[in-house]
Amino acid sequence: MAAGAADSIVDVAGVQVGHHQRLDDAWATGSSAVLVPDGATAAVDVRGGGPGTRETDVLEPSHLVQQAHAVLLSGGSAYGLAAADGVMRWLAERGHGMQVGESPEHVVPVVPAAVLFDLPMSDWGNRPDAEFGYRAAAAASATETRQGNIGAGTGAVAGPLKGGIGTASAQLPELPGAQAGARIGALVAVNSAGAVVDPDTGLPWYPLDGLRRPDDAEIAAARAHADQRPGRRGPIGRPLNTTIGVLATDLGLSKPQCRRMAVAAQDGLARAIRPAHALTDGDTLFALATGRRGDLPAPGAPGWAGALDAVCAVAADVVATAIVRAVLAAEPVDEVMSYTSRYPSAWE
């Protein structure tokens, strides 16, 4: 799976990413915006039992709205959904959105959103609001590739380790109807109930190059805490869960095809996190298609099913890679250890 130039979702033509966060003694939370200001076909797949979402019904393939203009990922649990207001405001000020009147400013930006539960990582009442979303949108660029404790991943925890934001991309194989060099990418905020790392080996469930098996002493110490849910000021006795993300391609896909891509991408989540899709998780993945590099064959045309299956297979791998990278890039926050602090010998 050959990566794109930045090995990030911003390798996908038409996609921009921006983050805003606060990380200090009283805050550990943030928001991430994936912008497609010119619009992109969009879909969603929700597998977790405790989702926090906004504007997901409009993405149903049979519904009127065909495109989204951004997707928001945010901390703050249900409170964090307010950050989508800021993304909408930023887009509307620039005339991006669904045209609903004769004047250029008569637009309604479509901004689906999903949130993760990171409230115990901040003092009570400190959570993302519309200003977080506005600043994330204002910071968006086609060169943003940072990972770890940033944006929606700032207060994320993945099993017994610090979670975060991860991203990855891949170049798709040659497909009928598509231009050469079509890409697919993912941005994922990993805040899972399940673990990304196998406690018996100290290595991610989904293997990536560049790691060695940690020392036995490090593995034993990690196993002793494998069932604990860490918070920044000590163990947490309540859920701190949900993995949320955005998948994007520069192919042109219909809403049903986007939906299929989002469904398949959840397989990547399940490969990288064990267990996945728990009742206390709100696992949600969005899919965007900007259409900058040609269209897949229409349903029923020769080769259409095989082409879509090829896209879906890569989608799952890209999501799994982004999830592992989120944990590898994360840094400790108070009592919450990171992978690099728990298993330092894995990098030697």
Side-chain angles (χ1 to χ4, degrees), residues 162-246:
K162 182 70 180 68
I165 283 281
T167 189
S169 73
Q171 184 168 306
L172 289 163
E174 185 175 339
L175 298 171
Q179 299 174 14
R183 296 183 177 90
I184 192 166
L187 182 83
V188 186
V190 184
N191 188 66
S192 54
V196 176
V197 175
D198 179 355
D200 291 330
T201 67
L203 294 172
W205 297 111
Y206 186 82
L208 293 186
D209 293 337
L211 296 177
R212 63 179 291 272
R213 191 180 190 276
D215 293 342
D216 289 343
E218 293 172 3
I219 294 173
R223 281 180 57 83
H225 298 88
D227 296 330
Q228 292 187 7
R229 189 67 185 176
R232 68 182 303 177
R233 299 176 182 91
I236 298 296
R238 59 187 302 172
L240 195 68
N241 307 333
T242 293
T243 295
I244 52 179
V246 182

Side-chain angles (χ1 to χ4, degrees), residues 65-319:
V65 173
Q66 296 297 303
Q67 293 190 321
H69 304 92
V71 174
L72 173 82
L73 309 177
S74 185
S77 189
Y79 295 107
L81 291 170
D85 290 340
V87 180
M88 286 188 69
R89 178 162 59 91
W90 190 90
L91 288 166
E93 288 173 355
R94 288 152 183 81
H96 299 299
M98 183 178 178
Q99 197 74 35
V100 294
E102 295 182 359
S103 179
E105 69 267 20
H106 294 168
V107 295
V108 177
V110 178
V111 184
V115 292
L116 53 82
F117 185 87
D118 61 357
L119 296 178
M121 294 291 283
S122 301
D123 289 352
W124 186 254
N126 292 347
R127 55 243 184 181
D129 56 13
E131 188 63 21
F132 273 67
Y134 190 92
R135 292 189 180 192
S141 75
T143 59
E144 175 58 82
T145 60
R146 289 176 292 170
Q147 302 181 90
N149 296 4
I150 190 167
T154 303
V157 180
L161 297 172
K162 182 70 180 68
I165 283 281
T167 189
S169 73
Q171 184 168 306
L172 289 163
E174 185 175 339
L175 298 171
Q179 299 174 14
R183 296 183 177 90
I184 192 166
L187 182 83
V188 186
V190 184
N191 188 66
S192 54
V196 176
V197 175
D198 179 355
D200 291 330
T201 67
L203 294 172
W205 297 111
Y206 186 82
L208 293 186
D209 293 337
L211 296 177
R212 63 179 291 272
R213 191 180 190 276
D215 293 342
D216 289 343
E218 293 172 3
I219 294 173
R223 281 180 57 83
H225 298 88
D227 296 330
Q228 292 187 7
R229 189 67 185 176
R232 68 182 303 177
R233 299 176 182 91
I236 298 296
R238 59 187 302 172
L240 195 68
N241 307 333
T242 293
T243 295
I244 52 179
V246 182
L247 192 70
T249 180
D250 42 24
L251 291 173
L253 303 180
S254 65
K255 283 182 76 175
Q257 289 172 327
C258 266
R259 162 74 172 162
R260 194 68 198 166
M261 185 169 69
V263 167
Q266 293 277 11
D267 292 342
L269 190 154
R271 292 173 197 165
I273 300 171
R274 301 183 187 182
H277 308 140
L279 191 62
T280 55
D281 280 315
D283 298 337
T284 300
L285 293 179
F286 297 93
L288 300 171
T290 66
R292 298 289 186 91
R293 293 183 180 271
D295 300 330
L296 286 189
W304 77 275
L308 182 57
D309 281 345
V311 172
C312 290
V314 178
D317 287 338
V318 168
V319 166

